[in-house]
Amino acid sequence: MKHFLICLSLLLFYFSSNLFSAINLQSVDSHHGAFKWLMKRKSDTSESGAVLSTTSYVPDNEWLPAIVPGTVLNSLVYNKVYPEPYYGLNNKKSENLIPDIADVGREFYHYWFRTTFMLPEDFKGRRVWMRFDGINYEATIWLNGKKIGETAGMFKRTYFDITTVADFEGKNVLSVDVLPVEHPGKTYTMINNNNGAINKTSHGGDGEIGKDVTMLMSAGWDFTFPDGIRDRNTGIWRDVIVFSTGAVTLRDPFVKTDLPLPKLTPSRQTVSVNVINATDKPQTGILRGAINDNSIIIRRKIFLKSGEVKEIIFRPEDYPQLIIRNPRLWWPRNKGEQYLYRLKFNFSMSNGIKSDQIETRFGIREITANRSTPDKSLIFYVNGKRLFIRGSNWIPEAMCRTSKLRTYAELKYTQQAGINMLRLWGGGISESDYFFDLCDELGILVWHEFWMTGDTKLPVNIKLYLANVKDTIKRIRSHPSVAYYVSSSERGPALDISTLVNQVDGTRNYQPQAECCGVHAGGPYKYENPMQYYDDTVSDRGSRIYGFSLKYGAPILPTIDCLREMMDPSDLWPINKKVWNYLDGGGSYFMTTKYDNAVNQYGLSSNIVEYAKKAQLVGAVTYRSIWENWNYNKFNYGDRFCSGVLFWYHNSPIRQVCGRMWDWSLEPTAALYYTQDALEPLHAQYNFLKNTVSVYNDYYQAFANCQLSIRIFNIDMSEKYYENIFINIPEDCVLNDVITVDLPDDLSKVHFIKLELKDNNG
């Protein structure tokens, strides 16, 4: 068995959003050695009370190094208690290598996490806060032997005032008692047939996990491990922050922009922030806000009763400086500048001493969605202009092995590919602040769903669910990239959060579930003959390239290096279908037999290296065919209307043979480059069914007197066809079939087509 080494991350850094230094309590601080986390099981008995075998658990008197942010299972894998789940059949439940919580009980993965830290000198004389950005699932927190509070739900930030229990001189001991989800549910049991494939899909196990506010795919899904993650991702999976303020602290700044259409000027900003008196005495002071380094100043004298929390709102009717004439707008990629304004708030006490400061970025833009289309399908508009969506479905890392480096790499690949919207699917998570910051900067829109699906049950603690939704919206609402809110993935009826969305935000459109309101179901997702995309016969559900499609896609085999990282050489060649199918969501996507037939068109392979190279081409051509056929139907007012597609799916949650534009290891496949070509903003493309050339324009800009040419070469590189025309390209359009090619009779079976599109400068 192979083990995958998980690096213990380290960091001590300072937040610009706080006046004084803030400490991020991650696994290790190499400078001071102060933030090392340890863990041990809460009890050495199962829920039934039976003593567990000493070979299957960590003895209660042993503390192990723990990964924070991370999960119990990640730490156990790091400590080599269990094998690396992302290798071969290690995670497969029937292999019995890693105990499943449904079999061994909730207490098996019930762990204490512990660390120590020192407070900086400048914290003395101030209030000290501890913020947990995400614990899965329930936790009781102790500091220096005193209980400071509890939290529940995977996606809610929780603040604790630790001033009276913190040690300002010596070492502080933080202990966190973390319980797994209350309803882990039973994962789907894999069918043991000759190929190791399942004969039905596996979505969320038995659905019980939906009763909790958590990452539903951890109970299994057909695009990741069908039988789930063994501990359901129990742990402190996001940052733990310690920071200081004065008597009054600030939270959740928000800028609500009203941009008039179609003039786009002036923009009216309503600015708000929560002001909190953390003491048992009344407090008075000045709240001051500044936009873009004092270019706009707002201020107000504030009186707070003891312990009072007050939302302070600055409206443009009262503060005309919040009316910005000729604002710099934020646009999605290819549409204009991604300009970001910066808002800073600070609160000064009546004696002039600054108590706290906080800042946020925001963009001035208007993103709406409606069904004003011929077929009532959903269409998006940005700043009054219609927006054709060429997006994708974002799937989170399956075991919460997230990092800034990983997020950066995947979003930069997304930008490179040409994607303009990401759907945060409802069975996953709400991504980090850093994720949304990058989407703001890269011009990538975000469709955000709130942790319900059609395959899992509804949350049982409605109050807890709404608290998680409310806090998440507060966290992400200032990001201009956030475009759309949806309660649930393909579920009706779901819990309706429209009232809460409007109360907490009120600037985004909303729909109760993903597959309604002008959005149709997707498919296919497996490999199909690329020619079938051109005549739109690839789906057994009938024509699918129309309207707004929630899911539509295909796999590609990862590179040979990535394949070698996920299984033993003996399983690579000849292909061991038992292993390959397990790393294919149980055989749902890659479908090796069908893919074999496509790869073998290029000749039978004698080894896995040869096979993998051919498979790269097979998958890449499929990707390009999908994207270009959606391009072809852009805003088509013929028999059907076409407003956008979300590719299913975007990124690999685990190491898997049904790869994407890049593998879990972040190595690109040929699909990335073929997608990059198909989604370039000004693009010439070939229709292999009609033998025609079309031109796609994603810019809000017209191009006059452009030169379009096509050349066709035989395999010996002799030119057999040439045609050149001049065209005018309107903004935001597709010009279909501007050249019809009469293929010459003497073309070789393998030939090459070269398309060139040049502006009037050549």
Side-chain angles (χ1 to χ4, degrees):
M1 304 295 176
K2 291 191 178 180
H3 293 268
F4 176 71
L5 178 61
I6 305 171
C7 295
L8 293 179
S9 58
L10 51 107
L11 193 58
L12 167 66
F13 67 83
Y14 299 88
F15 284 84
S16 61
S17 58
N18 293 101
L19 182 61
F20 288 77
S21 56
I23 309 168
N24 189 334
L25 302 182
Q26 294 195 359
S27 291
V28 178
D29 171 31
S30 61
H31 299 292
H32 306 286
F35 307 139
K36 185 175 181 179
W37 284 85
L38 300 172
M39 74 174 199
K40 70 172 181 178
R41 183 179 288 141
K42 181 72 178 291
S43 171
D44 63 354
T45 59
S46 66
E47 287 185 334
S48 64
V51 177
L52 297 170
S53 167
T54 56
T55 61
S56 64
Y57 84 104
V58 180
D60 189 58
N61 63 350
E62 291 184 10
W63 287 89
L64 295 174
I67 299 171
V68 175
T71 66
V72 170
L73 184 54
N74 276 318
S75 295
L76 293 174
V77 171
Y78 171 78
N79 286 286
K80 300 186 178 181
V81 177
Y82 299 120
E84 166 54 39
Y86 292 0
Y87 192 85
L89 299 178
N90 286 351
N91 189 76
K92 190 173 182 181
K93 187 175 178 182
S94 60
E95 297 293 311
N96 296 315
L97 297 177
I98 307 174
D100 190 84
I101 190 173
D103 300 326
V104 296
R106 193 183 187 198
E107 286 299 312
F108 188 87
Y109 288 109
H110 182 183
Y111 271 76
W112 280 104
F113 288 82
R114 178 179 176 177
T115 192
T116 59
F117 62 95
M118 303 282 288
L119 292 177
E121 187 70 22
D122 59 12
F123 277 34
K124 291 181 179 179
R126 296 175 56 78
R127 302 205 74 83
V128 181
W129 303 86
M130 181 174 288
R131 189 186 77 214
F132 288 84
D133 287 345
I135 297 180
N136 192 33
Y137 180 69
E138 297 175 347
T140 304
I141 296 97
W142 301 74
L143 184 64
N144 298 330
K146 297 180 180 179
K147 179 180 174 181
I148 63 173
E150 299 174 339
T151 187
M154 188 173 184
F155 308 108
K156 183 169 66 69
R157 298 168 300 175
T158 308
Y159 294 81
F160 299 104
D161 186 343
I162 63 172
T163 308
T164 59
V165 296
D167 188 334
F168 289 83
E169 302 293 338
K171 185 179 294 185
N172 289 272
V173 180
L174 173 63
S175 300
V176 187
D177 178 4
V178 181
L179 267 166
V181 290
E182 188 175 357
H183 305 91
K186 295 181 179 179
T187 63
Y188 184 76
T189 301
M190 301 289 290
I191 301 297
N192 289 319
N193 59 27
N194 292 333
N195 293 333
I198 58 175
N199 59 8
K200 65 177 181 179
T201 57
S202 170
H203 295 162
D206 59 6
E208 286 291 307
I209 196 169
K211 293 181 177 179
D212 294 324
V213 189
T214 189
M215 182 179 179
L216 307 180
M217 63 181 272
S218 66
W221 226 273
D222 66 351
F223 55 80
T224 177
F225 290 133
D227 46 358
I229 304 301
R230 303 281 80 87
D231 70 337
R232 308 297 189 270
N233 285 331
T234 302
I236 306 172
W237 72 290
R238 280 209 170 130
D239 291 334
V240 182
I241 310 297
V242 180
F243 62 98
S244 70
T245 70
V248 174
T249 185
L250 306 174
R251 290 181 197 163
D252 302 320
F254 180 40
V255 180
K256 183 182 292 188
T257 293
D258 180 15
L259 188 65
L261 302 175
K263 294 193 302 180
L264 303 179
T265 187
S267 174
R268 299 167 61 88
Q269 279 59 239
T270 299
V271 180
S272 63
V273 67
N274 284 334
V275 184
I276 301 165
N277 180 3
T279 72
D280 57 3
K281 297 178 181 179
Q283 302 290 344
T284 302
I286 300 296
L287 176 64
R288 180 183 183 273
I291 295 177
N292 279 17
D293 296 326
N294 301 326
S295 62
I296 297 174
I297 301 294
I298 51 178
R299 56 188 291 138
R300 185 183 301 177
K301 186 174 182 179
I302 306 296
F303 172 78
L304 297 167
K305 294 180 287 187
S306 63
E308 184 177 11
V309 178
K310 184 181 291 186
E311 183 183 29
I312 306 300
I313 303 175
F314 297 86
R315 294 183 172 85
E317 298 83 22
D318 305 316
Y319 296 85
Q321 60 268 45
L322 291 174
I323 301 174
I324 302 176
R325 302 193 179 278
N326 302 313
R328 295 180 68 176
L329 301 183
W330 186 93
W331 296 87
R333 56 170 306 132
N334 299 333
K335 305 304 185 184
E337 182 184 20
Q338 287 81 52
Y339 187 79
L340 295 169
Y341 288 84
R342 187 175 296 274
L343 167 69
K344 294 182 180 180
F345 270 119
N346 67 65
F347 191 92
S348 297
M349 308 301 293
S350 55
N351 59 7
I353 296 177
K354 286 186 178 181
S355 180
D356 196 14
Q357 72 177 24
I358 197 168
E359 65 178 65
T360 189
R361 299 188 304 183
F362 68 95
I364 297 177
R365 92 289 184 269
E366 191 79 17
I367 295 178
T368 58
N370 61 45
R371 300 177 65 186
S372 59
T373 55
D375 59 356
K376 305 302 180 184
S377 57
L378 184 71
I379 186 171
F380 282 86
Y381 291 82
V382 57
N383 300 332
K385 290 181 172 287
R386 65 183 183 178
L387 178 68
F388 189 67
I389 299 298
R390 299 190 289 177
S392 195
N393 284 266
W394 178 274
I395 305 299
E397 211 289 331
M399 292 179 64
C400 297
R401 293 173 171 178
T402 54
S403 67
K404 281 191 172 182
L405 288 175
R406 186 174 196 84
T407 299
Y408 179 81
E410 294 205 84
L411 286 178
K412 287 296 289 184
Y413 281 149
T414 302
Q415 178 195 40
Q416 177 181 341
I419 300 294
N420 63 7
M421 176 179 276
L422 291 173
R423 173 194 176 206
L424 300 191
W425 169 73
I429 64 172
S430 179
E431 287 290 343
S432 65
D433 294 339
Y434 183 64
F435 171 92
F436 290 101
D437 284 340
L438 285 179
C439 287
D440 292 343
E441 296 167 9
L442 300 176
I444 301 170
L445 297 173
V446 180
W447 163 313
H448 195 293
E449 294 174 13
F450 292 95
W451 330 301
M452 290 186 290
T453 77
D455 301 283
T456 53
K457 297 179 181 179
L458 293 175
V460 293
N461 188 336
I462 307 302
K463 183 178 180 180
L464 177 63
Y465 173 76
L466 294 177
N468 276 253
V469 172
K470 183 177 182 179
D471 188 69
T472 297
I473 293 176
K474 283 186 175 182
R475 181 173 66 86
I476 68 176
R477 62 188 177 179
S478 282
H479 292 280
S481 57
V482 178
Y484 208 57
Y485 292 136
V486 180
S487 286
S488 171
S489 167
E490 305 171 41
R491 182 185 189 99
L495 299 177
D496 187 359
I497 60 172
S498 57
T499 300
L500 180 61
V501 166
N502 288 326
Q503 287 175 347
V504 182
D505 186 336
T507 65
R508 272 91 174 178
N509 286 95
Y510 162 85
Q511 67 184 51
Q513 59 156 312
E515 193 179 321
C516 77
C517 313
V519 179
H520 68 74
Y525 321 129
K526 58 186 182 297
Y527 171 79
E528 299 289 354
N529 185 329
M531 292 302 293
Q532 291 183 271
Y533 294 107
Y534 292 92
D535 62 8
D536 201 8
T537 61
V538 293
S539 177
D540 56 11
R541 305 183 192 185
S543 172
R544 308 308 288 169
I545 304 180
Y546 72 92
F548 192 99
S549 178
L550 191 67
K551 296 184 294 185
Y552 196 104
I556 183 173
L557 190 71
T559 65
I560 182 60
D561 289 336
C562 293
L563 289 171
R564 286 169 174 159
E565 291 173 345
M566 67 180 76
M567 68 183 79
D568 289 335
S570 59
D571 294 327
L572 283 173
W573 196 263
I575 289 174
N576 183 337
K577 290 191 176 181
K578 183 178 181 180
V579 176
W580 282 56
N581 280 329
Y582 184 70
L583 297 175
D584 177 31
S588 300
Y589 285 94
F590 187 69
M591 302 184 71
T592 53
T593 300
K594 192 168 188 178
Y595 217 80
D596 277 349
N597 295 334
V599 174
N600 289 341
Q601 293 179 93
Y602 297 97
L604 294 177
S605 301
S606 58
N607 55 64
I608 188 60
V609 175
E610 182 183 352
Y611 183 90
K613 286 181 179 179
K614 295 173 183 175
Q616 284 284 299
L617 180 59
V618 169
V621 169
T622 303
Y623 269 67
R624 183 181 62 192
S625 300
I626 291 173
W627 291 120
E628 290 190 340
N629 277 283
W630 280 91
N631 286 348
Y632 187 87
N633 286 280
K634 175 180 181 177
F635 300 141
N636 190 329
Y637 283 92
D639 296 335
R640 57 193 179 186
F641 185 81
C642 188
S643 55
V645 61
L646 298 173
F647 194 94
W648 186 261
Y649 49 95
H650 193 58
N651 35 6
S652 297
I654 60 173
R655 296 189 189 276
Q656 55 187 176
V657 298
C658 47
R660 305 292 120 183
M661 286 184 277
W662 55 90
D663 178 70
W664 182 89
S665 298
L666 302 179
E667 181 172 352
T669 66
L672 173 62
Y673 304 106
Y674 275 55
T675 297
Q676 178 182 352
D677 175 63
L679 297 186
E680 58 188 353
L682 199 58
H683 176 62
Q685 60 186 51
Y686 193 83
N687 186 309
F688 290 89
L689 192 67
K690 293 183 176 181
N691 291 321
T692 60
V693 180
S694 301
V695 175
Y696 177 94
N697 182 12
D698 200 48
Y699 292 116
Y700 292 146
Q701 174 187 350
F703 297 87
N705 198 33
C706 295
Q707 181 179 340
L708 173 65
S709 65
I710 176 173
R711 286 181 166 86
I712 302 179
F713 301 89
N714 263 347
I715 195 168
D716 62 2
M717 299 311 297
S718 60
E719 184 175 300
K720 306 303 294 184
Y721 184 92
Y722 172 74
E723 187 168 352
N724 180 73
I725 64 171
F726 289 86
I727 56 174
N728 295 323
I729 308 172
E731 72 170 57
D732 195 30
C733 75
V734 58
L735 297 177
N736 282 332
D737 308 328
V738 292
I739 295 178
T740 299
V741 178
D742 185 12
L743 293 175
D745 295 331
D746 58 345
L747 273 181
S748 57
K749 187 174 182 180
V750 176
H751 51 271
F752 305 94
I753 300 173
K754 182 178 182 180
L755 302 177
E756 288 186 307
L757 182 63
K758 300 178 181 179
D759 61 20
N760 52 21
N761 294 319

